Amino acid sequence: MPSGCCALCIEMLKTEELQINIGPQHPSTHGVFRMIVTVDGETITDLKPVFGYLHRNHEQIAEQNTYLQNMPYTDRLDYFNSMANNHAYAMAVERLAGIEVPERAEYIRVLMVELTRILNHAGALGFLINDMGMWQTQLAFGMREREKILDLFEAASGARLMCNYFRFGGVARDLPPDFVPKLKELLVAMPAFVDELERLLRENEILMQRAEGIGILPRDLALAYSVTGPVLRGSGVPYDVRKAEPYSVYDRFNFDVPVGSVGDVYDRFLVRIEEMRQSKRIIEQIIEQLPDAQGGHINPKARQNVRPPVGDAYARIESPKGELGFYLVSDGSTRPYRYKVRAPSFINLTPLGDMCRGYKVADVVVILGSIDIVMGEVDR
Amino acid sequence: MYELLDALINGRLGLGWPGWAVALLGHVAVATLLFLVAPVQMLFFTYYERRAIARMQDRIGPNRVGPEGIWQPIADGVKMFTKEDIVPAAADRYVHLLAPIVVVAPTMFMFAVVPWGPGMVPVDLNVGLLFFFAISSISAVGLMMAGWASNNKFALLGAMRAVAQMVSYEIPAVLSLIAIVMLTGTLSVVQIVAAQGGLVISTADLPGVPDVGLGWFIFTPVGLLACLCFFIAALAEGERTPFDIPEADSEIVAGYMTEYSGMKFGLFYLAQYVLNFLLCAITAVVFCGGWQGPGVGWLAAQGLSPANPDGSWVFNLFAGMLGVFYFLAKTYFFFFVMIWARGAFPRLRVDQLMDFGWKFLIPLTLVNVVSAAVWVGITRWGPEEGLDFTAQWSPLLRWGVAFALTMAINVVAYLTLARLYAAAQAARGRVDLEELVGSVPTSA
């Protein structure tokens, strides 16, 4: 401790803390998200996330719709990953109404969700580096890869973003004949992109300085906040719904669940890069097994205007952002009595204050970027 | 300029103007020219940057307004002028208005000492470099004014960052220039350019070298290290990636510019790009020979001058054009490096920036000053200074020994400092959290 004159000076220099509102209008809050940040100079002493600016009564509206009407509505939750949202919702309704899904449809579904994972991570990593200040370069490259996958989505479903591709008992259309050759082309080009992204991270000194040891989310804290997805795996917990509770046809594929060690931005980054590689592995296995799959793209006996028996069902999948769950309660009518979404972005965002405390203002946006949120899903 | 106008007005036309009128006309003409050139350079720089960075990002960039989008900056300028000028209700009106002016004016002054071609310098100050850096520091005051007067927390944070950064990075910038000042023994920018004739070896070090205008300081170990350090410091001075922390758009919106709109914002933008141009120009002038290049010296020698009254003014014209071409080519190259860095690097954090400046760049430039002293001692000193043994060496040997010695000093210094700095960075864990925990207010 300094003494005498120095101590007096420090006493006199005692500064005030400043409270800053980052958001709801701010370039890098990924939507209308607000953080009340208390800073001491540049160091964060407290951070309070404030949600709700994009609240649009999603769940209540969904209870006024028929089951099928909700399918395109789920697209709007996490607009990056409409296929994954479709999948979770379709699974929930199928469980509720007891609808069988043919094998081929399951393969197509998994294929779409894995492609979604690749495009989500390509975009998310681009946004993360953009938040670090690399002016859109990586984002542009990520978006370029994403476009190629969106082309495939368009070929299959007719839409690029809001695909609305899944139906109860399968998917809306079968894959077009040129889909698989195009997919193979895409997979040939994919490793180069992923390797490039990883090289960028491993060798760029500035990026390392900004990512390593920043935004540490310890394992216990991650579990206590029930964080899921790449954020949880970055903290070193090998939890993946695809392995923990294999749904659809995931038990037939070989893939690894990458985990980090420290739980910093760097680990989350690496986990996402590795997940893209694993998704590619899964897709390769799908291409191999798809021709032998039984059945068509949809169960012909499945009714789309379902009237499920009284009861409830919960279905969860490993969406690119974490565990996405739909909880439905049926009162025997054509509309869900209760419709609840367990949105991974929302739950992953809650520990933000603990992750940011003690770091600099500049780190907040990087930590936020590493969580990878979509406000459409956070505020429903 | 004075001689030229005097010859034209009083000599050719025989108007018999007094000397002060000729001088006044000359200064007004040069000032007008520069005030026209500076915004045009800025306009072209914005276009150049947008197109170049678009190429790096697999895009096309602006290509709608005019052929290949060349009039895009004009359209942007018109947009700036027609935008509403908003002053926040709680802002300090007068300081808010004054800040952009205080920021822009110094950058225009700085043009005064930049030589564009042989004999084409607005003012040949004998303390040109000092003037350049003294004037450039004034904009820091303007930035603080802007940040404070806006009454916006982002603006205040941005202004504090900007001032801290400018003050810290001026030191390595000036220290790296001091090495060159020691080599040339002058602060005059014109004489620094003149000293860079030769072919790889400067004519100042080895009189027998053929003078093709390629004796740039960047070819010496001292000059190379100084150039790198200076350019890095210039990136910070000009608030360019990876040091664009004061206006980090993803963190503090637009920094000190947040509350500015319309042409006031345009002035900040102008000041920034003009400053970038000048920093690139001064890098080119001090380290890469400015207008020096193959052919300029020969053309200038054929031209009309007091030493060569029979020369033709056509040669003067061509020498000037070639000189300006070389100068601009070098300047645009350095600006391209700035764009390149913007496309390739994320930004540093503010504390990392300070660490890098104070713990790495400043010691390195200090070592470089020592190297410069060694260089001067070996190549210039003789028996008068008590160095008898070097007197027997041939100039080439002296140059070789100086080259080897300074190279060794700089390489060793760089490697040692890089290792020390990396170790210091690795040792830094999470930002003094333990100290902080006590002071964290429990959230309600």
Side-chain angles (χ1 to χ4, degrees):
Chain A
M1 252 332 255
S3 59
C5 173
C6 284
L8 193 68
C9 288
I10 290 170
E11 192 63 32
M12 280 162 67
L13 272 172
K14 194 67 190 166
T15 47
E16 236 178 279
E17 285 183 339
L18 190 66
Q19 207 170 50
I20 311 178
N21 254 313
I22 299 185
Q25 283 97 21
H26 186 277
S28 56
T29 51
H30 298 246
V32 279
F33 172 54
R34 179 175 166 208
M35 292 174 278
I36 302 174
V37 183
T38 313
V39 290
D40 180 10
E42 287 262 354
T43 311
I44 307 233
T45 57
D46 196 22
L47 184 145
K48 258 188 258 172
V50 182
F51 316 116
Y53 291 91
L54 202 63
H55 181 68
R56 56 203 186 282
N57 231 345
H58 181 95
E59 293 180 1
Q60 188 66 46
I61 291 172
E63 285 160 18
Q64 314 300 317
N65 290 342
T66 63
Y67 284 96
L68 187 61
Q69 277 175 334
N70 280 336
M71 183 62 81
Y73 201 44
T74 60
D75 288 343
R76 274 82 180 160
L77 275 172
D78 174 357
Y79 41 81
F80 249 71
N81 312 319
S82 63
M83 292 284 196
N85 302 339
N86 282 180
H87 194 186
Y89 179 66
M91 270 171 63
V93 176
E94 281 153 10
R95 274 189 198 165
L96 198 59
I99 299 170
E100 292 287 314
V101 183
E103 208 181 358
R104 183 176 169 81
E106 292 281 23
Y107 275 106
I108 297 175
R109 285 178 169 192
V110 171
L111 169 65
M112 291 302 174
V113 175
E114 291 306 319
L115 280 174
T116 301
R117 198 182 313 279
I118 294 175
L119 82 81
N120 177 72
H121 288 350
L125 296 182
F127 279 116
L128 171 60
I129 302 179
N130 200 33
D131 287 343
M132 283 185 191
M134 182 191 267
W135 193 72
Q136 290 181 358
T137 307
Q138 193 53 53
L139 183 60
F141 292 159
M143 286 292 166
R144 187 183 63 196
E145 294 308 303
R146 179 170 171 262
E147 284 301 303
K148 293 176 189 165
I149 297 174
L150 290 183
D151 285 344
L152 289 178
F153 283 0
E154 193 180 8
S157 71
R160 297 171 72 80
L161 272 163
M162 305 292 143
C163 295
N164 183 21
Y165 184 51
F166 288 42
R167 293 291 178 274
F168 309 131
V171 292
R173 284 169 216 89
D174 204 351
L175 297 177
D178 60 342
F179 187 91
V180 174
K182 273 192 197 162
L183 180 64
K184 281 179 182 163
E185 266 173 49
L186 181 85
L187 290 184
V188 170
M190 181 71 64
F193 166 71
V194 180
D195 291 347
E196 188 184 81
L197 199 62
E198 183 167 9
R199 260 206 323 279
L200 176 81
L201 181 77
R202 288 243 156 116
E203 291 175 11
N204 192 320
E205 179 64 31
I206 299 176
L207 222 149
M208 296 279 286
Q209 279 197 16
R210 291 300 304 276
E212 255 188 331
I214 303 296
I216 295 174
L217 181 65
R219 190 192 159 98
D220 320 345
L221 200 61
L223 290 172
Y225 273 109
S226 71
V227 161
T228 50
V231 183
L232 178 68
R233 291 193 283 275
S235 297
V237 184
Y239 173 79
D240 187 319
V241 184
R242 293 175 293 176
K243 287 276 189 196
E245 187 197 281
Y247 54 93
S248 201
V249 284
Y250 273 111
D251 48 353
R252 301 183 192 180
F253 306 126
N254 288 320
F255 64 96
D256 301 324
V257 176
V259 286
S261 51
V262 189
D264 54 3
V265 173
Y266 186 65
D267 275 342
R268 278 167 230 146
F269 203 122
L270 289 184
V271 163
R272 288 205 173 91
I273 288 176
E274 193 51 38
E275 277 187 16
M276 285 162 80
R277 295 213 175 97
Q278 296 301 331
S279 288
K280 178 180 169 278
R281 236 176 105 189
I282 295 175
I283 293 169
E284 279 166 352
Q285 294 171 48
I286 292 173
I287 294 175
E288 253 170 54
Q289 299 176 16
L290 188 62
D292 304 328
Q294 303 293 313
H297 69 280
I298 192 162
N299 182 353
K301 280 181 252 160
R303 281 162 54 97
Q304 293 305 314
N305 54 343
V306 281
R307 192 186 286 271
V310 177
D312 63 340
Y314 180 69
R316 55 181 189 159
I317 66 155
E318 183 69 26
S319 114
K321 293 189 166 57
E323 180 182 325
L324 172 67
F326 278 85
Y327 177 65
L328 298 172
V329 180
S330 167
D331 58 356
S333 73
T334 55
R335 293 152 212 274
Y337 174 74
R338 178 76 175 97
Y339 166 103
K340 163 92 179 85
V341 188
R342 187 230 186 256
S345 294
F346 173 67
I347 296 179
N348 291 353
L349 197 51
T350 43
L352 183 68
D354 285 321
M355 285 158 87
C356 291
R357 209 161 288 140
Y359 297 101
K360 304 284 178 193
V361 179
D363 293 327
V364 171
V365 287
V366 176
I367 295 168
L368 183 65
S370 76
I371 299 175
D372 180 21
I373 55 160
V374 160
M375 287 318 282
E377 192 178 58
V378 175
D379 304 330
R380 293 177 295 281
Chain B
M1 197 71 195
Y2 177 81
E3 291 83 10
L4 192 76
L5 276 177
D6 192 44
L8 187 72
I9 292 172
N10 294 336
R12 288 280 165 84
L13 303 176
L15 295 177
W17 285 20
W20 63 265
V22 176
L24 185 67
L25 182 68
H27 286 311
V28 168
V30 168
T32 313
L33 200 65
L34 285 181
F35 271 88
L36 286 176
V37 164
V40 168
Q41 284 291 348
M42 175 265 180
L43 289 181
F44 188 70
F45 260 33
T46 59
Y47 173 73
Y48 176 38
E49 170 158 29
R50 289 171 71 179
R51 289 291 290 209
I53 207 158
R55 289 289 296 214
M56 290 173 200
Q57 297 176 348
D58 218 357
R59 299 186 283 117
I60 298 169
N63 67 341
R64 295 288 99 183
V65 191
E68 288 296 310
I70 190 83
W71 306 130
Q72 182 67 42
I74 311 275
D76 289 343
V78 170
K79 184 201 77 174
M80 288 284 181
F81 271 111
T82 51
K83 279 225 165 175
E84 186 189 353
D85 174 35
I86 300 166
V87 182
D92 186 328
R93 293 192 68 85
Y94 299 103
V95 181
H96 188 267
L97 170 72
L98 205 57
I101 301 168
V102 175
V103 173
V104 167
T107 59
M108 295 293 174
F109 277 122
M110 285 152 77
F111 266 105
V113 291
V114 176
W116 289 67
M120 292 166 72
V121 59
V123 189
D124 181 11
L125 277 185
N126 56 1
V127 287
L129 273 183
L130 188 63
F131 175 83
F132 189 91
F133 273 89
I135 288 288
S136 82
S137 315
I138 293 176
S139 9
V141 179
L143 301 184
M144 197 66 218
M145 282 164 72
W148 187 255
S150 299
N151 196 20
N152 176 313
K153 288 165 184 169
F154 290 122
L156 187 60
L157 267 182
M160 290 193 312
R161 287 174 171 197
V163 172
Q165 178 172 330
M166 286 189 92
V167 169
S168 313
Y169 273 77
E170 246 155 41
I171 300 166
V174 172
L175 277 177
S176 43
L177 288 178
I178 280 182
I180 301 301
V181 172
M182 286 169 74
L183 295 190
T184 53
T186 174
L187 276 166
S188 158
V189 183
V190 174
Q191 284 175 39
I192 287 177
V193 176
Q196 301 188 56
L199 179 61
V200 182
I201 305 173
S202 164
T203 44
D205 295 329
L206 191 65
V209 168
D211 184 5
V212 291
L214 288 172
W216 308 345
F217 288 126
I218 199 169
F219 298 139
T220 65
V222 178
L224 181 63
L225 191 65
C227 182
L228 293 177
C229 291
F230 178 81
F231 193 70
I232 292 170
L235 288 175
E237 286 263 306
E239 290 160 19
R240 299 288 310 190
T241 317
F243 306 118
D244 58 343
I245 295 164
E247 45 188 296
D249 54 330
S250 60
E251 297 155 21
I252 49 171
V253 190
Y256 52 85
M257 294 192 271
T258 307
E259 291 292 354
Y260 283 89
S261 63
M263 207 50 215
K264 282 186 194 161
F265 171 76
L267 282 180
F268 277 114
Y269 211 60
L270 172 78
Q272 202 184 358
Y273 273 87
V274 170
L275 182 65
N276 286 336
F277 173 80
L278 284 162
L279 287 168
C280 292
I282 215 79
T283 315
V285 163
V286 174
F287 303 102
C288 292
W291 50 261
Q292 289 268 22
V296 182
W298 182 81
L299 281 170
Q302 310 300 313
L304 187 66
S305 66
N308 184 15
D310 308 326
S312 164
W313 61 272
V314 178
F315 284 105
N316 285 11
L317 187 69
F318 278 120
M321 279 163 62
L322 195 61
V324 171
F325 171 76
Y326 282 140
F327 166 75
L328 282 180
K330 289 166 191 172
T331 306
Y332 275 71
F333 169 75
F334 281 113
F335 190 67
F336 177 75
V337 177
M338 282 188 169
I339 300 171
W340 194 4
R342 187 178 174 198
F345 289 127
R347 95 172 53 86
L348 279 171
R349 216 169 52 200
V350 65
D351 56 324
Q352 293 166 346
L353 170 98
M354 289 296 155
D355 277 1
F356 182 70
W358 288 96
K359 295 182 184 166
F360 184 74
L361 221 46
I362 291 181
L364 196 60
T365 45
L366 279 171
V367 172
N368 198 40
V369 170
V370 175
S371 285
V374 169
W375 182 280
V376 171
I378 291 176
T379 56
R380 313 267 205 284
W381 283 11
E384 304 100 83
E385 285 88 2
L387 285 179
D388 293 326
F389 62 96
T390 54
Q392 291 128 37
W393 297 354
S394 72
L396 190 62
L397 181 64
R398 282 175 159 215
W399 181 85
V401 169
F403 192 92
L405 259 180
T406 52
M407 179 71 106
I409 294 174
N410 284 357
V411 167
V412 169
Y414 173 77
L415 292 178
T416 316
L417 272 169
R419 281 182 66 178
L420 285 175
Y421 180 67
Q425 287 297 311
R428 279 172 63 97
R430 188 169 166 172
V431 195
D432 37 25
L433 178 71
E434 286 72 27
E435 278 174 43
L436 240 153
V437 168
S439 70
V440 172
T442 45
S443 50

